[in-house]
Amino acid sequence: MTSQTLSRLAAAWLTAATFATAGTVFAGEPLRVGATYITSGTDPAKGSNGWALVSHGVGENLFTVDRNGKLVPELAEKAERIADLTWTVTLKPGRLFSDGTPVTARAVAAGFDTTFANNKAALATGGKLTFEAGDDLTLKVTTEKPVPFIQALFAEWPLIAYKPTEAGNAVFSGPYRISGFKTDAAITLEPNVHFAGADQRSPVKFRKFGDAQTLTLALEAGELDMAFGLPSEVVTRLKTNPDLTIKSFPVGYQYLAFFNTARPLLADVKVRRAIDLAFDRKELAAAINGGEPATGAYAAYFPFASQEARPTDLARAGALLDEAGWAKGSGGMREKGGTPLRLLVITYPQRPDLVTMLPVVKAELAKIGIAVDTQVVENIQQVASAGDFDIALWAQHTAPSGDAAFFLNSMLRSGASLNYAKYASQDFDAILDRFATEGDPAKRVAIALDAQQKIFADAPASFLVSPVWYVGLSKRLKNYEPWGSDYHVLRADIGETE
């Protein structure tokens, strides 16, 4: 062991001892937090649990995007490329898991090995990654595909850092630790005494609400200190309540419509393009009173966002349907060979804005003669994976790591695990391949713009609204400042007033 390594370990354990004895944990009543979602489980390798556990303040990534949208180190100190496919990641000294053990390269590697073996979403950018611990703070990482910015990869939501235990659980390093979990109902948290400032944080009771209206009523009744994701239509009323503070903030999410290209009626690109032209994005944004018409796959403030407004052209949409053989029948609705052009549009209650948009979408498609059945489903990922839909209204953060590539690779590349549109295009994949070797930021912007133009032409998805979200707060959390969409709802700097 080198003297440098010994010095770093000594610093780590000194800091560990400081945090472990850092005063008494805040003794206040638990903060009462409500939202229309909670993690579906405590296994960070399954589904989107990694994202949710970071959102709940339980876990951390090696790198993250800060409140200013900048990619910054979190558990890691730095990353350096040492060969085409090989990097070294140096962990910060002095960080501890919530059980008091040091965050080491060996422990982090074991967690990532578990994630890559069980979560296909982790493969989107670099393929299968392999890990090898050097000294306690140095992790050697080898990617299957070239990755220009390994820092952005380690900020992606599946790659939460954790230590697997012999009992089959996981231990995390964030400002809170899990003290109780009831599936699909609630998660209780207590301050992680091994994370700085634990004595300034209260325990948290985080409840899931079935819909946003019930969430709103709970806030008004004084049952919550934070209601995250209020429906826009209640904001004006809530702002008159002197006991509440209502804050809004722009998010990197896009509200979009995935078109199931594997379904017979949407296999024809002319039908998909007609639907895209039928959407009136200004009307949709007005319906939810909280956002701007989407210009493409990314919120307009990202440098790789398309800047031109997406067109609404009912005449052109009708002409495309005529070309596709869907003629107007009785009542102005489209049919072909006696078969009506009738589509199933689904969405989910965890994003109440999408439920609000559903009847507007139905009315807009009716204008070009497309009949729509609507359905709100509790588990949208399960239904979408099964392919039981024509159009899925979806909310997605499309640049969670501050880079354009992850969303496109994970949700629209041919065969990708989250490609609910079943979109398959060799030309589109070839555009995405350029991300793997291009490190120049300006050239990566050009790749992202090319990819969006291809999406506009093939229409496996329509991008509808770049939303603004609302958070309701009691006096106890009036200083809370929302940022980072829903990736950092509970944080060390939660802003508690007492």
Side-chain angles (χ1 to χ4, degrees):
M1 186 177 291
T2 66
S3 59
Q4 184 181 23
T5 301
L6 285 169
S7 175
R8 292 157 87 183
L9 287 174
W13 282 105
L14 177 60
T15 309
T18 302
F19 286 175
T21 60
T24 303
V25 172
F26 202 97
E29 289 295 315
L31 291 171
R32 303 158 303 167
V33 177
T36 53
Y37 71 93
I38 61 169
T39 184
S40 61
T42 58
D43 183 346
K46 288 188 175 180
S48 58
N49 288 355
W51 159 76
L53 291 168
V54 171
S55 172
H56 298 345
V58 174
E60 298 177 284
N61 293 79
L62 296 187
F63 293 84
T64 191
V65 176
D66 68 10
R67 67 170 61 212
N68 298 313
K70 183 180 178 182
L71 185 64
V72 296
E74 192 165 40
L75 274 175
E77 188 172 71
K78 62 181 180 180
E80 298 173 292
R81 193 173 206 156
I82 58 175
D84 286 348
L85 300 176
T86 308
W87 298 71
T88 58
V89 176
T90 304
L91 303 177
K92 289 180 179 177
R95 293 304 313 275
L96 301 178
F97 290 111
S98 61
D99 64 355
T101 59
V103 175
T104 64
R106 184 181 298 278
V108 169
F112 285 141
D113 283 340
T114 303
T115 295
F116 275 90
N118 293 281
N119 193 331
K120 292 182 178 178
L123 307 174
T125 299
K128 178 73 165 59
L129 271 60
T130 57
F131 302 89
E132 180 182 342
D135 60 41
D136 272 12
L137 297 179
T138 305
L139 186 65
K140 180 181 177 183
V141 182
T142 301
T143 65
E144 187 176 24
K145 298 183 292 187
V147 177
F149 297 112
I150 202 81
Q151 297 91 334
L153 185 153
F154 280 117
E156 293 173 359
W157 58 261
L159 297 183
I160 179 176
Y162 60 96
K163 179 183 72 173
T165 70
E166 293 183 358
N169 300 316
V171 182
F172 306 93
S173 59
Y176 295 93
R177 65 180 295 273
I178 299 170
S179 57
F181 176 68
K182 186 176 181 180
T183 303
D184 207 34
I187 185 169
T188 55
L189 308 167
E190 59 186 33
N192 171 10
V193 298
H194 303 289
F195 193 104
D199 56 343
Q200 300 301 309
R201 293 188 293 278
S202 292
V204 176
K205 290 184 176 179
F206 197 134
R207 294 166 54 194
K208 177 184 176 182
F209 287 79
D211 60 80
Q213 295 301 332
T214 308
L215 174 72
T216 302
L217 292 174
L219 177 69
E220 289 183 291
E223 298 173 5
L224 295 174
D225 295 302
M226 179 195 300
F228 194 93
L230 291 169
S232 57
E233 62 267 23
V234 304
V235 168
T236 301
R237 183 181 84 237
L238 294 183
K239 283 185 175 178
T240 65
N241 187 329
D243 293 327
L244 299 177
T245 299
I246 309 301
K247 297 186 177 182
S248 65
F249 66 114
V251 294
Y253 271 76
Q254 295 291 75
Y255 292 163
L256 59 103
F258 281 124
F259 300 145
N260 186 350
T261 64
R263 299 271 270 201
L265 298 181
L266 290 182
D268 189 334
V269 66
K270 290 181 179 178
V271 176
R272 302 198 301 269
R273 291 180 62 186
I275 295 171
D276 184 60
L277 287 166
F279 287 132
D280 184 336
R281 292 164 176 81
K282 290 182 179 178
E283 185 178 48
L284 289 167
I288 60 173
N289 190 32
E292 297 293 331
T295 57
Y298 306 97
Y301 59 82
F302 286 112
F304 36 78
S306 176
Q307 297 301 320
E308 294 185 9
R310 299 295 299 144
T312 300
D313 189 337
L314 300 185
R316 177 60 183 150
L320 284 168
L321 292 176
D322 288 338
E323 294 173 20
W326 292 99
K328 280 194 174 181
S330 59
M333 304 309 286
R334 302 274 174 173
E335 59 183 33
K336 183 194 293 187
T339 300
L341 181 48
R342 191 175 197 91
L343 303 176
L344 173 61
V345 183
I346 66 171
T347 194
Y348 50 115
Q350 292 85 355
R351 299 296 182 191
D353 284 345
L354 299 180
V355 179
T356 302
M357 289 166 58
L358 199 55
V360 183
V361 165
K362 180 175 183 175
E364 291 180 347
L365 296 192
K367 293 178 181 178
I368 58 170
I370 296 178
V372 165
D373 297 313
T374 62
Q375 187 175 358
V376 178
V377 300
E378 186 65 27
N379 191 332
I380 189 73
Q381 289 181 320
Q382 184 178 54
V383 176
S385 297
D388 297 330
F389 72 99
D390 293 303
I391 299 174
L393 298 186
W394 199 275
Q396 186 68 42
H397 196 313
T398 52
S401 64
D403 187 69
F406 178 66
F407 164 69
L408 300 174
N409 274 313
S410 62
M411 304 202 78
L412 288 168
R413 179 185 277 277
S414 302
S417 62
L418 303 179
N419 184 351
Y420 303 119
K422 306 300 181 188
Y423 175 51
S425 166
Q426 292 183 351
D427 291 341
F428 181 72
D429 294 346
I431 295 172
L432 300 189
D433 288 343
R434 291 157 50 194
F435 277 125
T437 55
E438 185 54 71
D440 182 273
K443 292 180 179 178
R444 291 179 71 82
V445 168
I447 297 169
L449 293 174
D450 287 349
Q452 288 173 88
Q453 289 301 318
K454 183 62 175 170
I455 296 172
F456 298 157
D458 291 353
S462 280
F463 302 98
L464 304 176
V465 178
S466 301
V468 169
W469 287 354
Y470 297 95
V471 180
L473 304 162
S474 71
K475 291 181 178 177
R476 189 174 171 190
L477 278 182
K478 64 181 181 181
N479 293 330
Y480 177 83
E481 292 297 334
W483 58 268
S485 61
D486 54 1
Y487 280 66
H488 304 285
V489 174
L490 298 182
R491 313 182 305 263
D493 62 338
I494 196 166
E496 193 173 348
T497 58
E498 56 181 295

